Each structure stands twice: as structure tokens, then as C-alpha cells.
Amino acid sequence: SIYQIERIEGRVMAVNTFLVRGPDGLVVVDGMLTVSDAARVRQAIDDTGLPVAGVVVTHPHPDHYAGLAHLVDADDVAIVATSAVDAIIRRDDQLKEEVVGPMMGDEWPSRRVFPNRTIDDGDDVRLGGLTLSVRELGPGESHVDSLWQLDARTVFAGDVAYNGMHAYLADGHWREWLATLDRLEADLPDDVNLFVGHGSPGGKDLLAAQRRYIETFVDAVEAHADAIDEGDHRGVNEAMQRLLPTDSLLFLMDLSIEPTLAALREAR
């Protein structure tokens, strides 16, 4: 193939940046949450000796864009997202600063850069001698998710599915997320390779696993509503760890419990 893909996983937070080596430079997919993880990615970029041809941002959560200033600040590069993803990043960045900033302390990038080139659903972008086509999925894990396809089998899927880690559902779009997973199950090729935002790349089975996770979570929140009202999350945490016995990103799931209960009640 004319490209190679390297995965770099954050140490402060388990989130992926992908470096795609094309014929004419590097394409960076997603940009880390923290200063030190972004610095590690920058070192990996420098180690390749290749110029950064562009950056792609899959969705508007800060663990995928906040570190970009530390990654590509010195380079005059295209930071590409769909118009809808860009709009949500800009709309919510100040709120993320107020919520995530204190959680991260000195690791929170005080200066953040946003996409400087937007494209729309179904468009292609050519970077580093490679062509990526974008498919916008609408609300799901975030307020607007997108897939970036390098070829029929190679898809950068953002957080549409996690691999072996707990998930964030606090944006409240789990119904749409389930519908998206069904749609992708139907129309992605069986041998697709999903380069996901959290965990190792995997196959189509990640979609079914993510659906199970979402359904289990929503059921657990409903079942333990009274305890949650008392500030007790143990029942949900135990249910989710029975399904997925790991602490990895458990805090994201825990942050999602109260917003999900509120959204369930609103929908009634």
C-alpha cells in the first residue's frame, strides 16, 4: 500500500492519534487532550522526518483536538473537519475549558487551535498524496460524529466504537448512536479495519460490542435511578464492569450517569 499507519496512545488519557505516512508527507488524525501527550506525538512526527501535510479531526470532543496547538503550531498546515464538527468545537470550547481544564490542571492546553479548513459530508480531501473521504454520521457519541475513509477497508472511525474501554455517553444521543451502529453494520465491508479513537484498531465486531455496551449502560442507569438520585453510582459501575472488566476510561462512563438519567426522564 502507499501508506503506513502508526498509532500513538496518550498516557495521561488513553486516546489515539494516528500518523498516516503518505507519499508526500504525514497526515495526523486527531490531536490528543494534554500538553505532554501532544508533545510525545510531536516527537514521533519529528522522528519520521516527514512534513505534516494536514490534520483531520473526527469529532468535537477535546481529547481529539485540544492538543493540536502543541502538535502543529510551528507548521502552517490544514486542520480539516466537517463544517458541523468545526461549529460544535467552536461553540463548546469555552465550556470544555471550564469543565475539563480544572480536571487536567497544567496538562490542559491553555491555547487551542481549531479547524481552518472545512469540508462537507461526502467530500474528499487530498493531503500528503492521500485522498480521504468523509462521511458525517450526525449525533452519536458526540454532538456530531464523522468517519474518514482512506480506502474501502481503512476507516478512521473516531469514537463511533471504543475497543476494550469504557465510553462517554454524557452528550445524551445514545438512541442516535445505536441507529448509527446499525447503519454501519449494514453498509461497511465485512473486512473493514476501524481505527478507533480509544483502544486498538479492530474489525466490524467492535460495532456489535459497542451496541451491547450502550444498551447495558442505559438499562443500568434506569435500574439504579433511585440510587443515582442519592449520588450513588455503584450499581451502574458494577454492571458496566461485569460487562467490561477494566478501569480503562471508567471515569468517562461515570461522568455520563447523571446526564443520561436526566435525558431518560426528559424523554418520558
Side-chain angles (χ1 to χ4, degrees):
S1 69
I2 57 162
Y3 59 81
Q4 287 175 292
I5 301 171
E6 178 185 354
R7 173 171 83 105
I8 301 169
E9 184 176 61
R11 289 179 185 158
V12 181
M13 181 180 176
V15 59
N16 296 328
T17 290
F18 296 101
L19 302 185
V20 189
R21 294 176 184 230
D24 305 321
L26 278 184
V27 179
V28 179
V29 180
D30 286 336
M32 290 292 168
L33 177 65
T34 65
V35 172
S36 61
D37 284 339
R40 284 181 54 240
V41 176
R42 183 67 230 189
Q43 187 59 54
I45 289 170
D46 292 342
D47 290 347
T48 69
L50 297 171
V52 178
V55 178
V56 161
V57 180
T58 57
H59 66 290
H61 283 154
D63 50 327
H64 299 266
Y65 78 84
L68 284 175
H70 291 264
L71 268 188
V72 295
D73 211 17
D75 311 280
D76 180 22
V77 300
I79 301 172
V80 190
T82 69
S83 307
V85 168
D86 174 59
I88 301 284
I89 288 175
R90 290 168 190 272
R91 185 194 77 184
D92 290 354
D93 181 70
Q94 188 55 44
L95 176 66
K96 300 300 181 188
E97 165 129 298
E98 289 160 16
V99 174
V100 185
M103 289 165 67
M104 291 292 143
D106 290 346
E107 281 282 8
W108 176 248
S110 56
R111 202 173 74 73
R112 293 171 302 287
V113 293
F114 301 143
N116 54 25
R117 181 171 170 192
T118 57
I119 63 173
D120 291 310
D121 178 42
D123 287 353
D124 293 345
V125 64
R126 193 143 175 91
L127 300 166
L130 300 170
T131 301
L132 286 141
S133 52
V134 70
R135 173 175 175 184
E136 209 162 76
L137 302 171
E141 194 263 354
S142 73
H143 294 307
V144 54
D145 297 338
S146 66
L147 293 184
W148 294 75
Q149 197 150 353
L150 199 46
D151 57 39
R153 291 190 55 233
T154 309
V155 176
F156 295 97
D159 290 358
V160 167
Y162 289 56
N163 189 357
M165 296 187 185
H166 292 279
Y168 184 75
L169 294 103
D171 283 351
H173 306 297
W174 70 88
R175 293 179 187 83
E176 294 96 325
W177 192 354
L178 291 170
T180 292
L181 291 166
D182 288 344
R183 228 169 38 242
L184 296 178
E185 188 76 58
D187 61 26
L188 286 176
D190 286 341
D191 61 352
V192 72
N193 209 354
L194 296 171
F195 290 83
V196 293
H198 302 275
S200 305
K204 210 169 172 180
D205 56 328
L206 294 184
L207 302 174
Q210 192 63 50
R211 185 184 305 108
R212 263 198 314 280
Y213 186 93
I214 296 166
E215 289 170 343
T216 303
F217 174 74
V218 174
D219 288 349
V221 169
E222 287 192 298
H224 297 282
D226 292 346
I228 295 165
D229 284 336
E230 301 293 315
D232 179 0
H233 291 185
R234 280 173 306 182
V236 180
N237 274 290
E238 285 161 12
M240 298 318 293
Q241 286 191 289
R242 276 197 299 278
L243 176 71
L244 186 60
T246 177
D247 287 340
S248 196
L249 299 185
L250 193 66
F251 79 101
L252 288 182
M253 183 278 295
D254 194 67
L255 285 172
S256 307
I257 292 172
E258 287 171 33
T260 299
L261 181 56
L264 280 163
R265 284 176 171 154
E266 256 169 52
R268 277 184 198 145

